[in-house]
DNA sequence: GTGGTCTAGACCACT
DNA sequence: GTGGTCTAGACCACC
């Protein structure tokens, strides 16, 4: 279980996203036990509180559930994670497009810009 | 002079960006007098302090210059504003691409995603 | 012997309470042998360690006693279980009343609220 | 603005509840600025982080909204706070009733018990 | 000054 | 050992 964290962005939502992705792509399966808060914190080089907060967010979204004393588990309904990933993706993309349009770019220019920088 | 501010993002940098854009696209010309801090604040529905900070940032970047008692003026060298816009654009785009890749998308998928959402 | 466990509350004290109740209402009689830790765990769908802890608590309170190799037995003095039940009841009720008062309800309103929801 | 906190219960939800109550009973009005995180922390004798978390919860529920650099404000829609109070009240009461029933009390006994302890 | 995020470290109850 | 909660204190960007 690997963690690529961009230290220039808030860490907590990144953990949330990455766990959703891991569930969405099958790396984590329905009902499976997650690594403990402390293990993730250690592996990702992050404070346990930050991981705890990320897990709380995931639980509030019904993507995982916590069981005191035994750990956190992937929800049986994996669909929610997929939706969350889709939602995050769409929101990031819409944000990007809007910001680019505010900067005066039109649709064709944005597409070209992406194409140039993408590799 | 219109202001489209996204209340969900920091306001100050948005003002900086938009003035750069207005200079870059010729809406504001070299040496032209800007609206006063108060006028911009009123027109954009924002705290005057925020506008003041934005103007200071622009002045530090050599994009505008202040003349005590008479107002703020677009720098004679419009090129700096163009560079700033280019810089911001590139950074936003790289950020977006990196975040999408972290979400598990490859280059082709990102391009397709943009194409679908852009219109 | 049935077990109604609310998974949203700590399990261990629930087991303690329910055994006290069973003693208090005569379902378990003085000197009677209890089900084994494993049996209770199985019947209640709970980790045996949790049941073990519950039994330890009960023993410390003098409500049951353990006999190595033969099992756990209801104490001869059933009174203690009765007191425990009374104590728990009072504490739960006082808690509830205090929390409702903190929410801005007065005594009459609390009574009415209970009456409406109780059936 | 007074804070009665029961140190034997989790503090954070208590703050959430009390702010909801203050909005519901009109002590805080729609659009009004709340005390700052630090002020509440000081006044309630609690760590600022705890207050921050409570405010986050309130924001996620649409009961207040945060404005970076200027403070937290009561949402224009006061109704949500009222609903939240009602929801909390009902949940606490149902919990209480269920726990009492698990302890072997029937409806009449619960009502009598409340009546005796309430004053 | 204000909210937002994070680190560090502690304690608790439960499994 | 595990999650849950809290304190303490720090830094940042923004208004």
């Amino acid at each position: 279980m690997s963690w690529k964290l961009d230290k220039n962005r808030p860490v907590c939502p990144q953990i949330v996203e990455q766990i959703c992705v891991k569930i969405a792509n099958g790396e984590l399966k329905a009902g499976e036990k997650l690594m403990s808060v402390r293990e993730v914190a250690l592996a990702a080089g992050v404070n346990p509180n930050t991981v705890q907060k990320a897990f709380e967010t995931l639980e509030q979204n019904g993507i995982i559930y916590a069981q005191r004393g035994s750990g956190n588990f992937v929800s049986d309904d994996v669909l929610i994670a997929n939706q969350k990933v889709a939602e995050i993706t769409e929101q990031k993309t819409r944000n990007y497009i809007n910001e680019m349009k505010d900067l005066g770019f039109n649709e064709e220019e944005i597409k070209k810009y992406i194409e140039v920088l993408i590799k």
Side-chain angles (χ1 to χ4, degrees), chain A:
Chain A
M1 184 102 64
S2 66
W3 302 94
K4 317 178 212 165
L5 294 180
D6 179 356
K7 288 285 183 179
N8 298 319
R9 278 190 290 149
V11 176
C12 180
Q14 289 185 66
I15 296 174
V16 172
E17 287 174 19
Q18 293 205 11
I19 290 179
C20 287
V21 171
K22 283 174 200 294
I23 296 173
N25 69 21
E27 190 175 341
L28 287 171
K29 283 163 194 161
E32 188 176 343
K33 186 176 178 302
L34 296 167
M35 288 173 79
S36 80
V37 172
R38 290 169 180 82
E39 280 174 325
V40 173
L42 198 64
V46 165
N47 188 287
N49 274 328
T50 307
V51 179
Q52 174 69 23
K53 198 171 178 186
F55 280 27
E56 271 177 43
T57 303
L58 287 164
E59 191 174 19
Q60 284 166 359
N61 282 273
I63 293 166
I64 67 173
Y65 60 92
Q67 224 155 284
R68 272 188 95 118
S70 56
N72 288 281
F73 299 82
V74 178
S75 166
D76 293 332
D77 186 1
V78 172
L79 211 65
I80 310 179
N82 282 282
Q83 288 173 349
K84 193 75 186 174
V85 171
E87 187 183 304
I88 293 168
T89 308
E90 184 175 341
Q91 194 227 342
K92 278 189 200 297
T93 304
R94 286 201 191 284
N95 265 349
Y96 169 69
I97 292 175
N98 287 334
E99 292 184 19
M100 289 295 279
K101 286 188 175 170
D102 287 351
L103 285 170
F105 289 83
N106 65 33
E107 293 155 11
E108 282 310 312
E109 287 167 333
I110 296 175
K111 282 195 277 187
K112 285 222 173 117
Y113 209 102
I114 285 274
E115 214 150 324
V116 172
L117 257 65
I118 205 165
K119 52 163 195 279

